[in-house]
Amino acid sequence: MSLVSAKVRDAFNRHDPTRSREGLGNILFNLENRYTGGDIWYVNSNQTSNTETGKDWDHAVTTIDAAVNLCTASAGDIILVHPSHAENLAADSAIDIDVAGVTVIGVRRGRQMPTLTATAVAGDCKLAANNVTIANLRFVGGIDATTGVIEVTGDDCAVIDCEYRDSTGQATDILITDNAMRLLIDGFRVIGASADGGDTAIMLDECDHAEIKNCHIIGNFDLGAIQCRTTASDDIWIHDCVIKTFGSEDLGIKDLVTASTGFIGPNIHIQLADDADNLAEAVTGATFVIIGDVTVVNKAGQKSISIPWEESAEV
Amino acid sequence: MQYIQTIPEPDPTGKNYPGQIFCVNSRNGSDSNHGKSWDKALATIDAAVNKCTANTNDVILVAPEHAENLAADSAIDIDIAGVAVIGLRRGRTMPTLTVTAAEGDCKLAAAGVSIHNLRFVGGIDATTGCIEVSAADCAIIDCEYRDSTGQATDVIITTAAADRLLIDGFTCFGAAAAGGNSAIALVGADDCEIKNCYIYGNFAVGAIDLRTTASPRIRIHDCTIWTANAADIAVVDTVTGSTGFVGPNLNIMLTDNAANITEAITGATFQVIDPVYVCNLVNEKAMLINWTASTDA
């Protein structure tokens, strides 16, 4: 009996070859690994030993990193993580996905998904090789001032339908990067604390062609919910996101480097903390462009307005 | 969840799918295998095509880590009607086809052929159309192109037989340097639809170019286009005579801060459906394209 997420099963049940995004591409899991092009490894902290084979649910390993160490690079290996799986990120590289092409998929049931709790400031999950994907994982800030529970340093990586939640204090930064080209962040949900202490939810450092979409980010961000920092990121695209910041700095998206380029929008909606002269600065970046609908609101009981950036003109 | 696709079990009995399924994986495959299971996968897509039967819903599944070169004209020649070639995608990992000859290409050369989730890489300068469509009712879905060496002259090209072509979810990471003409060049493609695309590059003619023979009743919508070329053209009807809707939901970035908003879409026989936004300078927000609005005449 395979454990599959409701989303995958729904996609299968809606199978329609004439629909490009939910047709032939969304195919139900088959967990009979003899038919797959790579190995499937199973992780469940409720099992008893991390020296098991990891080849089925009855013999699952108890940590994700143990499963990573069983994988072969660029072989299509998948790691499935049980919905009730829980483990701590108790040190730097607690989970170090350093094998290229590995996909770690949390099996999700509604709001239940595997939970990884940061219990050390440096505790993190690293996407440290090319073509690594994580999906349906919940990260919890179990200690104050964590410095990036998700760190991406490989190219062509993806963070899909993951979640972060502050539990103790506030994360300083949540998802950090370094020279991670063509990163995809899709469906990232951040439930941050309202109290001061955080800097960013997503920090891009030299992440050319990064795409951030379908994200819902709430927290108190001194430096912006999404920030470009240290080395410019070229040709990024941020769209279809909702951002709320409790921080009095009132920053939604900011290019701290002042050289990053790319599209901001369409369909970005930002709520700021203060009823002040701050709407234009909700997106700060002299080398960005705004396209389509980008709206900003700075007071409860009001509706947002289109961000008051200068419009292009025929010169 | 369209970015997470696990590898399905091909069903040798055919009970669950009304056609044959062939597996392709360069990592462990061989073109002398039968290709009906992953452990006996074929090594090349063209070998799998040659095993297919026309109009029987045959599907070719390509493993995410599959890689092969397009080293000659018709390196991949999908000339069997109705065949679907589906790359299995995990996040940003998808099968990669690298062009190593200027004419190296993948042809959609029979009716009803579709390709999904394939990444094309320009491994040599001045490639002349690494995806060529020469039959009706074909589809290019969620594919990607990336310049690696130099710039592609054109990326997707068609012949006048490519009626009702669907291009959905195409991503083009072109080079910033000059050398390219277009990302998509349509020739006489009736009723073609281009949607949900992200196109970046340096396009001397236009990111989407309708050329040689007019393409009637096209639809181009829900796309984001960025051209780094001073021609500052996103969509152009070079042949003059093509018709159809451009928009809604186009977002266009030009290179020069100049009198160029209107010409971002050039085609006297098009209709523009708003919103179509154009931006021509950083630190600005896009404006609605300033074509003449219709009136009650």
Side-chain angles (χ1 to χ4, degrees), chain B residues 119 163 176 182 193:
Chain B
R119 172 178 291 138
D163 292 344
S182 73
E193 184 177 9

Side-chain angles (χ1 to χ4, degrees), chain A residues 224-248:
Chain A
I226 301 172
Q227 184 202 47
C228 296
R229 175 197 298 180
T230 309
T231 302
S233 296
D234 295 333
D235 305 314
I236 67 173
W237 189 20
I238 303 171
H239 62 100
D240 292 279
C241 293
V242 175
I243 297 172
K244 176 178 179 179
T245 179
F246 295 98
S248 61

Side-chain angles (χ1 to χ4, degrees), chain B residues 1-17:
Chain B
M1 281 284 279
Q2 67 264 31
Y3 294 104
I4 300 292
Q5 298 160 342
T6 59
I7 300 177
E9 172 189 3
D11 177 11
T13 69
K15 290 181 181 177
N16 295 326
Y17 188 76

Side-chain angles (χ1 to χ4, degrees), chain B residues 195-268:
Chain B
K195 61 179 182 175
N196 301 318
C197 299
Y198 173 81
I199 300 173
Y200 171 79
N202 188 313
F203 306 114
V205 178
I208 300 173
D209 175 26
L210 283 65
R211 62 172 72 148
T212 310
T213 304
S215 295
R217 299 176 303 279
I218 63 162
R219 286 170 292 159
I220 304 172
H221 62 96
D222 292 277
C223 293
T224 297
I225 298 172
W226 185 342
T227 178
N229 189 283
D232 286 319
I233 294 181
V235 180
V236 59
D237 179 25
T238 300
V239 64
T240 68
S242 301
T243 62
F245 294 114
V246 182
N249 301 322
L250 292 189
N251 301 299
I252 299 169
M253 178 66 192
L254 306 177
T255 289
D256 302 307
N257 186 25
N260 55 14
I261 301 286
T262 312
E263 293 79 12
I265 297 172
T266 297

Side-chain angles (χ1 to χ4, degrees), chain A residues 238 250-255 260-265 268 270 272 277-296 305-313, chain B residues 253 277-287:
Chain A
I238 303 171
D250 291 317
L251 293 168
I253 299 169
K254 180 166 183 174
D255 178 25
S260 300
T261 62
F263 293 116
I264 309 300
I268 293 183
I270 303 172
L272 307 178
D277 181 9
N278 55 14
L279 296 171
E281 293 77 12
V283 176
T284 296
T287 43
F288 288 149
V289 298
I290 298 249
I291 54 171
D293 244 4
V294 174
T295 70
V296 188
I305 73 164
S306 185
I307 192 167
W309 274 37
E310 182 176 351
E311 282 193 357
S312 282
Chain B
M253 178 66 192
Y277 285 105
V278 186
C279 186
N280 65 5
L281 184 64
V282 293
N283 206 29
E284 291 185 345
K285 71 175 185 178
M287 59 174 280

Side-chain angles (χ1 to χ4, degrees), chain A residues 8 20-21 25 29-30 35 37 76 78 103 131 156 182 186 213 286 288 290 306-307 310 312-315, chain B residues 1 3 5-6 9 27 38 65 90 92-93 142 168 257 259-262 280 283-287 290:
Chain A
V8 172
S20 64
R21 292 193 183 280
F29 272 115
N30 183 312
Y35 293 114
I78 295 172
T103 301
N131 294 298
D156 294 294
R182 297 175 296 278
D186 186 353
K213 61 178 184 175
F288 288 149
I290 298 249
S306 185
I307 192 167
E310 182 176 351
S312 282
E314 302 260 28
V315 175
Chain B
M1 281 284 279
Y3 294 104
Q5 298 160 342
T6 59
E9 172 189 3
R27 185 178 66 85
W38 288 110
E65 66 275 14
R90 291 185 185 138
R92 295 279 301 136
T93 303
D142 293 339
D168 185 354
N257 186 25
N260 55 14
I261 301 286
T262 312
N280 65 5
N283 206 29
E284 291 185 345
K285 71 175 185 178
M287 59 174 280
N290 49 359

